[in-house]
Amino acid sequence: MASTSAEIIAFLLTISGWVLVSSTLPTDYWKVSTIDGTVITTATFWANLWKTCVTDSTGVSNCKDFPSMLALDGYIQACRGLMISAVCLGFFGAVFGLVGMKCTKVGGSDQTKAKIACLAGLIFILSGLCSMTSCSLYANRITSEFFDPSFVAQKYELGAALFIGWAGASLCIIGGSIFCFSIAENSNSPRRGYAYNGAASMMSSRTKVHNSVPDKTSPKHFDKNAYV
């Protein structure tokens, strides 16, 4: 029962993490322009993996998509590939996790379902690592430009999408680890013992037969001289 509850908790954690990781792809604010050292701000610059935008003081936004994938910086291409890989791995991990859980009726025996659940945990851990690496790589570029005194272009700060990606990656890694530990719990669980009752049943049947056969021995008669 404890293992089933742990698998349910792991499945909820991994699904929540996968949803958070998936939501970072269309999120706009991966980086936002900083106001550090600026007296008057008339526009806010922000960007994600697909476009860069500017919002003026009236709230009107003007966005521009990245013109060519091959002309992008290497870190943006790497972040795109890692995030897409994280989403795809999370989908397959959810399918395997649903099959490998004990509370479902598909997947075969308990040992087979435990192996499938462990596989789902490994896939979710890999998905979380991909998302964590992508967000960390993007954040490292932002912080390196921010603290570089020779960088004179527009500086940015960490956007909300990075924190969402880190949170989703952490949930995927934690839930995937619980899935992996479920196979150890199933292997350490004691097996049911079956006692061989054949000898006892034979003895009981012999006793019944012996009791059912009437005693045909003639009673002994003693005369009065036998007690003298």
Side-chain angles (χ1 to χ4, degrees):
M1 183 64 183
S3 179
T4 303
S5 302
E7 288 180 350
I8 294 175
I9 294 173
F11 185 75
L12 294 177
L13 289 175
T14 51
I15 291 298
S16 301
W18 177 58
V19 171
L20 290 177
V21 170
S22 301
S23 64
T24 58
L25 278 176
T27 302
D28 294 330
Y29 299 100
W30 276 66
K31 61 181 181 179
V32 185
S33 60
T34 181
I35 59 175
D36 182 53
T38 304
V39 179
I40 300 175
T41 55
T42 58
T44 301
F45 296 89
W46 48 274
N48 56 12
L49 297 178
W50 314 102
K51 60 185 177 181
T52 178
C53 302
V54 57
T55 303
D56 57 17
S57 58
T58 61
V60 179
S61 298
N62 185 14
C63 296
K64 179 182 179 181
D65 296 333
F66 293 132
S68 174
M69 183 183 69
L70 299 178
L72 289 176
D73 294 333
Y75 79 99
I76 296 181
Q77 296 182 9
C79 290
R80 281 184 178 182
L82 289 171
M83 291 303 298
I84 294 174
S85 299
V87 173
C88 294
L89 288 172
F91 173 77
F92 289 107
V95 174
F96 285 115
L98 189 62
V99 174
M101 294 175 65
K102 289 184 178 180
C103 57
T104 59
K105 297 183 179 180
V106 293
S109 61
D110 291 341
Q111 294 181 354
T112 304
K113 291 172 74 67
K115 293 179 181 179
I116 296 175
C118 182
L119 177 61
L122 293 176
I123 293 175
F124 273 119
I125 291 175
L126 186 59
S127 174
L129 290 177
C130 289
S131 177
M132 187 77 70
T133 304
S134 175
C135 295
S136 300
L137 181 62
Y138 200 91
N140 180 65
R141 182 60 178 263
I142 295 173
T143 54
S144 61
E145 292 178 353
F146 184 86
F147 292 106
D148 187 5
S150 61
F151 187 76
V152 295
Q154 177 64 51
K155 294 185 177 181
Y156 293 89
E157 293 183 355
L158 304 180
L162 297 178
F163 298 99
I164 296 175
W166 281 325
S170 301
L171 292 178
C172 287
I173 294 174
I174 294 173
S177 301
I178 297 175
F179 266 129
C180 291
F181 287 135
S182 65
I183 190 173
E185 294 179 0
N186 291 330
S187 61
N188 293 332
S189 60
R191 297 182 178 179
R192 295 181 179 179
Y194 296 94
Y196 178 70
N197 298 324
S201 61
M202 291 178 65
M203 290 298 295
S204 60
S205 61
R206 289 180 180 178
T207 304
K208 292 180 180 179
V209 172
H210 179 72
N211 294 332
S212 61
V213 176
D215 191 5
K216 297 182 178 180
T217 59
S218 59
K220 296 181 179 180
H221 299 282
F222 301 95
D223 55 359
K224 60 183 181 178
N225 296 327
Y227 300 96
V228 179

